[in-house]
């Protein structure tokens, strides 16, 4: 049986990662936010619509993408994430929401995320981000997307 301190630490790392992840984004500290990732980290967006990246490889690609994104998007708040931990695999699932605005249209950007995150110690090695692409398209285009 694991000692209580070890169990507590295994549960705290995912919480700390997500606190830094959302907090640094809200503060606009993108350089510090990028330091949450290993040099060779992978960031995937399985539901990305055409014209949006589906996979970013490496910390610099992840940073460049988010830096460009934050020129068009302002996040006002993130909800407290619900976190499910698989400590044997150093992986967790986080479910959370954000409220923001797409700067070019003034339309709200209110998104729900379910993210599967692998980590090594306190660094993210792989981040798979499941989000609704219709929210992005509606916010970016300034209207409702036709769902034919």
């Amino acid at each position: 049986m694991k000692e209580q301190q070890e169990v507590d630490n295994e549960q705290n790392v995912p919480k700390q990662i997500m606190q830094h992840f959302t907090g640094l984004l809200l503060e606009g500290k993108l350089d510090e936010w990028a330091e949450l990732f290993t040099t060779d980290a992978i960031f995937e967006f399985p539901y990305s619509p055409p014209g949006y990246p589906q996979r970013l490889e490496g910390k610099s690609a992840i940073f460049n993408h988010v830096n460009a994104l934050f020129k068009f998007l302002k996040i006002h708040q993130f909800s407290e994430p619900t976190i499910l931990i698989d400590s044997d695999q150093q992986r967790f699932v986080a479910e959370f929401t954000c409220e923001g605005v797409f700067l070019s249209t003034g339309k709200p950007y209110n998104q729900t995320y379910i993210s599967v995150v692998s980590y090594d110690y306190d660094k993210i090695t792989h981040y798979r981000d499941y989000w609704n692409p219709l929210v992005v398209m509606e916010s970016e285009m300034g209207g409702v997307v036709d769902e034919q």
Side-chain angles (χ1 to χ4, degrees), residues 22 26 46 70 106 120 125:
T22 57
L26 283 175
F70 272 59
D120 188 15
T125 59

Side-chain angles (χ1 to χ4, degrees), residues 28-39:
K29 296 180 178 178
L30 301 182
D31 290 330
E32 290 178 47
W33 178 85
E35 291 304 314
L36 294 171
F37 295 86
T38 60
T39 302

